[in-house]
Amino acid sequence: MASEGSPTPRLHGSEPPDASITSGALARRLGISPTTLRSWDQRYSLGPAKRQRGQHRRWSPQDVAMVEEMCSLTASGVSPAEAARSAKRRAGAAPQGQEEQPVLSRSAAATRASGTAGSRGSSGLPLGTVRAECRGLARAALRLESVAVQEQLNAFVQDHGVVVAWEELMMPTLHAVGRKWESSGDRYVEVEHLLSWHVSTALRNAQLLLGPGETRKGSPPVLLACVPGEQHTLPLEAVHAALLQRGRPVRMLGAAVPAEALIAAVRRTGPAAVVLWSQTRSLASTPLALHLLGTGWGVMGARQQAALVLAGPGWRGARIEGAVQPQGLREAIALLAPESSDLPED
């Protein structure tokens, strides 16, 4: 949900009667690029009803409702031409010099009735109560609008930082896409893949978007790895980005790290902490965790025990003395890179 004082535009239906917004604000709200908005106006006359020469275009609530209808229809599979005609008819707008377009097909109308009727302005995904930016991101992902998806993710990271971006934008939208996929007979896989790719890109570029954190020289790193067989890396990428934002040295080993390779990396780097991610319970290896807790490393025979952090739902229910299990990214970062102090050094 948008926090108090958020600059995010209010959802349709909450504006006063005389409210109007700019094209840029409307594009951000709907999760489309300004280029798409201009294209719809040029091709289908789907623009503001009132225009003033020499001024930026302003979209009234009625104009916004028409474009929201266009977004809902195209997201449900209706062609842009048919969607524009239907949206204009519903808004009471007369065709302005357009050629006659075919009416909605029976299949398209059925799709709309089952999936989008009565949900004007919705993303078509089971988002629940979330920030308005989540709905814009979901709309862009459903339309496979790569540029708009990346722009929204980058802007949110810049404005709010990695932890808030992960908890309040990326994770809720990813979960909604996953639920849509599971309940739709394997449809929307392409949406999940596209969104995951751009979330990963935003997380890996976070240091460029936010600027590097001030790193203390000589501080031992945090080592990040997925358990053997685990391919889900996005949560670990969020940890990586958040640690870099705090200026914490970090080494990312990525997906499905073999046990021998992980143990060798621990001995070679002498980390202050090892974060071991497991998405599924069947892959969470208690013997590996116990072995890491007993592993020694250091310079010239020195020994130090790493803080072992077992992260992810796969570790739920595991009872491993000496390891910690944070509940979420915020708690993990507070443990690994506290703002007031740092983890013990050699």
Side-chain angles (χ1 to χ4, degrees):
M1 240 181 139
S3 59
E4 186 175 357
S6 169
T8 305
R10 290 172 293 183
L11 294 174
H12 175 63
S14 62
E15 303 97 334
D18 60 346
S20 62
I21 61 175
T22 65
S23 295
L26 179 58
R28 288 191 296 272
R29 174 190 298 189
L30 298 177
I32 61 179
S33 67
T35 301
T36 298
L37 200 58
R38 288 193 297 270
S39 175
W40 286 352
D41 190 7
Q42 293 168 0
R43 293 184 181 183
Y44 312 116
S45 298
L46 212 68
K50 297 181 180 179
R51 307 171 190 243
Q52 295 184 357
R53 182 174 298 178
Q55 296 185 6
H56 292 294
R57 294 185 301 170
R58 306 286 299 190
W59 299 74
S60 71
Q62 292 74 24
D63 300 327
V64 171
M66 182 171 59
V67 182
E68 286 178 336
E69 179 74 7
M70 175 75 170
C71 289
S72 293
L73 290 170
T74 55
S76 69
V78 179
S79 72
E82 293 186 15
R85 179 176 177 83
S86 178
K88 291 171 66 176
R89 290 181 62 181
R90 288 176 63 86
Q96 299 176 8
Q98 287 196 98
E99 297 180 2
E100 281 296 311
Q101 302 289 345
V103 297
L104 289 176
S105 66
R106 181 172 300 180
S107 61
T111 299
R112 186 203 175 284
S114 63
T116 61
S119 59
R120 179 174 297 172
S122 71
S123 65
L125 293 177
L127 285 163
T129 303
V130 293
R131 298 181 65 117
E133 294 94 334
C134 288
R135 302 188 183 281
L137 181 61
R139 293 186 185 103
L142 281 171
R143 288 190 299 276
L144 304 181
E145 290 269 3
S146 293
V147 173
V149 168
Q150 198 64 64
E151 286 178 348
Q152 291 181 60
L153 288 166
N154 290 349
F156 199 92
V157 170
Q158 285 181 307
D159 291 343
H160 302 283
V162 172
V163 174
V164 174
W166 175 255
E167 292 183 341
E168 299 187 19
L169 179 67
M170 297 172 177
M171 190 166 55
T173 311
L174 285 165
H175 284 174
V177 172
R179 290 193 296 270
K180 188 75 170 180
W181 169 38
E182 291 173 356
S183 63
S184 303
D186 288 340
R187 292 178 59 204
Y188 302 100
V189 174
E190 73 284 1
V191 177
E192 183 178 39
H193 281 223
L194 180 135
L195 181 59
S196 296
W197 169 261
H198 288 290
V199 167
S200 178
T201 301
L203 291 172
R204 296 189 190 199
N205 289 339
Q207 193 171 21
L208 298 175
L209 296 169
L210 298 167
E214 184 177 352
T215 304
R216 188 168 65 192
K217 293 183 179 180
S219 180
V222 174
L223 193 65
L224 308 179
C226 290
V227 297
E230 180 59 71
Q231 297 293 335
H232 294 83
T233 62
L234 280 182
L236 211 56
E237 292 175 37
V239 175
H240 181 267
L243 288 175
L244 289 179
Q245 187 182 351
R246 291 279 185 95
R248 184 71 187 173
V250 59
R251 304 289 184 270
M252 166 67 91
L253 301 185
V257 181
E260 297 81 3
L262 175 59
I263 294 167
V266 169
R267 288 174 173 160
R268 288 172 61 188
T269 61
V274 176
V275 179
L276 200 54
W277 174 267
S278 178
Q279 181 76 19
T280 57
R281 187 169 298 181
S282 61
L283 294 176
S285 173
T286 297
L288 175 59
L290 293 173
H291 187 89
L292 287 173
L293 286 170
T295 297
W297 61 87
V299 179
M300 297 178 62
R303 292 179 61 86
Q304 176 184 327
Q305 180 172 305
L308 180 60
V309 179
L310 304 179
W315 294 106
R316 288 175 186 164
R319 296 290 182 266
I320 301 176
E321 187 176 354
V324 293
Q325 299 182 43
Q327 302 300 309
L329 178 61
R330 192 178 298 270
E331 185 177 332
I333 299 306
L335 171 71
L336 296 166
E339 291 181 305
S340 58
S341 61
D342 214 334
L343 291 173
E345 299 188 21
D346 291 333

